[in-house]
Amino acid sequence: MAVHEIPERATMPVTGLVNTYAYGTEALAHGTEALHATGVRWLARLGAWLRGEAVFAQLIRFALVGGLSNVGYILLFLALYGGGPQLANLAGSIVSTALANEMHRRLTFQAADRVRWYTAQLEGGALALAGLAITSAGLAILEVIEPGMGGIAEAIAVLGITAAVGTMRFLTLRLWVF
């Protein structure tokens, strides 16, 4: 039947409509279950990969631990700020570094059975001090080269320096400490 031959009021029988609807919802239901099962399998494989020894998986865990330790630092800094910013900074740095070192030992590099707590704190702490020295020196050099640079420019510079230090810290922890 050509388009011009379709009657003006063409209708579909109600049973045909009901069957079409039933088939569609059944297919949708099975499709949803299949999609859900696929999603669960995919998440399980992703989780297994993230817990594995792949370098990129360790880098992701390293970044997550670093982010969490930064949140801990900020919370401790704010809690102790009444005693002065230097005390708050010192306490926040020590506690967040110790926690980060332990999380790196246990989670990031899964080295709890290979590396003792004291060794991780000593070597990880030394790396943190080296990172602090590098960022401080970088800021001092920027102040000499470009005095009055401004807060936003200095913050961007600190982010760049910190990213470089973080990369060196990850590689050093991975290759030397853990």
Side-chain angles (χ1 to χ4, degrees):
M1 173 182 296
V3 174
H4 69 314
E5 295 174 346
I6 296 176
E8 192 174 308
R9 297 197 68 196
T11 59
M12 176 184 267
V14 175
T15 56
L17 183 60
V18 170
N19 289 340
T20 302
Y21 175 77
Y23 174 75
T25 56
E26 181 182 344
L28 182 61
H30 290 300
T32 303
E33 289 171 10
L35 183 62
H36 177 70
T38 301
V40 168
R41 280 193 309 271
W42 185 82
L43 285 175
R45 285 165 66 204
L46 177 63
W49 180 80
L50 283 172
R51 289 186 299 275
E53 290 298 317
V55 175
F56 191 62
Q58 288 178 342
L59 182 60
I60 291 170
R61 292 191 307 259
F62 181 82
L64 290 172
V65 165
L68 287 173
S69 68
N70 284 336
V71 169
Y73 166 83
I74 289 169
L75 293 174
L76 192 57
F77 180 86
L78 292 173
L80 299 176
Y81 190 76
Q86 293 298 334
L87 174 65
N89 181 44
L90 179 64
S93 295
I94 290 171
V95 171
S96 67
T97 298
L99 289 173
N101 288 338
E102 183 60 13
M103 286 191 292
H104 286 315
R105 182 175 83 97
R106 289 177 182 240
L107 302 173
T108 303
F109 300 105
Q110 301 170 352
D113 57 338
R114 297 186 314 267
V115 178
R116 299 180 60 89
W117 179 86
Y118 180 76
T119 303
Q121 293 302 323
L122 185 65
E123 294 174 356
L127 285 172
L129 287 175
L132 178 63
I134 291 169
T135 54
S136 297
L139 284 174
I141 291 169
L142 283 175
E143 187 60 35
V144 169
I145 293 173
E146 190 67 42
M149 182 185 262
I152 292 175
E154 281 185 311
I156 291 170
V158 167
L159 284 174
I161 294 168
T162 303
V165 168
T167 301
M168 290 186 319
R169 180 172 162 82
F170 171 75
L171 292 172
T172 304
L173 285 173
R174 185 173 193 285
L175 300 173
W176 177 50
V177 176
F178 300 112

